[in-house]
């Protein structure tokens, strides 16, 4: 299995995880986040397939454009995640672990790849996955302390939409 096949399979598995997670969760905000992450993973899969086929492609970050505003709307409506059974937290922890593994994988690929344009692609994909992991970890913190997370300078100024 070559690098691209391995990465494509990882993105497919991540997509399936987020899709299944969205279907299993009751909280609509958590479902929305999982579905956006699933879409990002599907987009990564397509970009990887394009690169494998020799077509240069540009990766975009679509997930987090509205994530911060989702949290702000929840605070205004005094509506926090409903996570009585810890299900959302479990999904977020597993998702963060998946993203961490992706970061490590793409970092390793960038280190090994001799083609400059492919090396840059792996680095860009690594940075996007780092943003996913960060989002999931901040969301975990939000479940525990919603007002504190929104006041956190790291959260307030973390630009998810900024291109890697």
């Amino acid at each position: 299995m070559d690098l691209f096949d391995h990465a494509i399979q990882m993105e497919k598995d991540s997509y399936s995880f987020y899709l299944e997670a969205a279907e299993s969760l009751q909280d609509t905000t958590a479902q929305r986040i999982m579905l956006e992450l699933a879409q990002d993973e599907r987009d990564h899969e397509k970009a990887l397939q394009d690169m494998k086929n020799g077509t240069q492609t540009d990766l975009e970050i679509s997930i987090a454009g509205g994530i911060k505003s989702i949290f702000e709307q929840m605070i205004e409506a005094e509506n926090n995640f409903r996570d009585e059974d810890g299900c959302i937290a479990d999904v977020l922890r597993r998702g963060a672990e998946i993203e961490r593994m992706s970061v490590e994988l793409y970092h390793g690929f960038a280190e090994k790849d001799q083609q400059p344009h492919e090396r840059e692609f792996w680095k860009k994909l690594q940075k996007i996955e780092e943003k996913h992991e960060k989002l999931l970890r901040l969301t975990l913190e939000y479940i525990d302390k919603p007002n504190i997370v929104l006041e956190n300078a790291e959260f307030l100024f973390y630009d998810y939409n900024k291109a890697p």
Side-chain angles (χ1 to χ4, degrees):
M1 182 180 290
D2 75 359
L3 298 180
F4 287 105
D5 289 336
H6 188 125
I8 288 167
Q9 187 58 53
M10 179 169 257
E11 295 298 334
K12 284 180 179 181
D13 293 345
S14 297
Y15 169 80
S16 295
F17 169 78
Y18 289 123
L19 196 60
E20 289 172 19
E23 292 170 359
S24 73
L25 296 172
Q26 299 300 311
D27 185 89
T28 57
T29 303
Q31 288 173 341
R32 203 164 121 202
I33 291 170
M34 293 300 113
L35 289 173
E36 288 187 36
L37 283 163
Q39 184 57 52
D40 266 10
E41 302 303 343
R42 180 56 49 106
D43 293 344
H44 299 170
E45 179 188 339
K46 183 185 179 325
L48 284 159
Q49 193 63 54
D50 289 347
M51 283 295 287
K52 180 180 177 176
N53 294 335
T55 306
Q56 292 239 343
T57 187
D58 191 32
L59 288 167
E60 294 181 23
I61 303 173
S62 60
I63 171 75
I67 296 300
K68 185 175 161 189
S69 67
I70 289 172
F71 292 130
E72 290 169 340
Q73 290 167 13
M74 288 173 65
I75 287 291
E76 286 176 21
E78 296 180 10
N79 174 28
N80 295 330
F81 286 117
R82 294 183 305 263
D83 194 27
E84 294 87 18
D85 61 359
C87 185
I88 295 173
D90 289 344
V91 166
L92 293 171
R93 275 193 225 40
R94 179 67 182 126
E97 179 63 20
I98 288 168
E99 298 301 336
R100 185 192 60 74
M101 291 185 324
S102 295
V103 167
E104 290 175 5
L105 180 75
Y106 297 141
H107 175 78
F109 287 176
E111 296 271 313
K112 293 176 190 173
D113 205 316
Q114 299 300 311
Q115 300 296 323
H117 71 282
E118 287 182 10
R119 189 171 33 253
E120 288 307 309
F121 178 80
W122 295 123
K123 287 179 183 179
K124 197 173 197 182
L125 198 50
Q126 174 190 340
K127 288 187 185 302
I128 292 170
E129 300 295 10
E130 287 170 351
K131 288 180 182 250
H132 285 179
E133 181 183 8
K134 183 71 153 185
L135 169 68
L136 291 164
R137 294 203 187 281
L138 283 171
T139 304
L140 265 169
E141 288 179 34
Y142 175 84
I143 288 173
D144 291 334
K145 305 170 224 146
N147 290 318
I148 292 172
V149 170
L150 286 180
E151 293 167 2
N152 180 337
E154 183 179 21
F155 183 76
L156 289 174
F157 297 107
Y158 192 73
D159 187 359
Y160 294 102
N161 288 322
K162 184 178 176 185

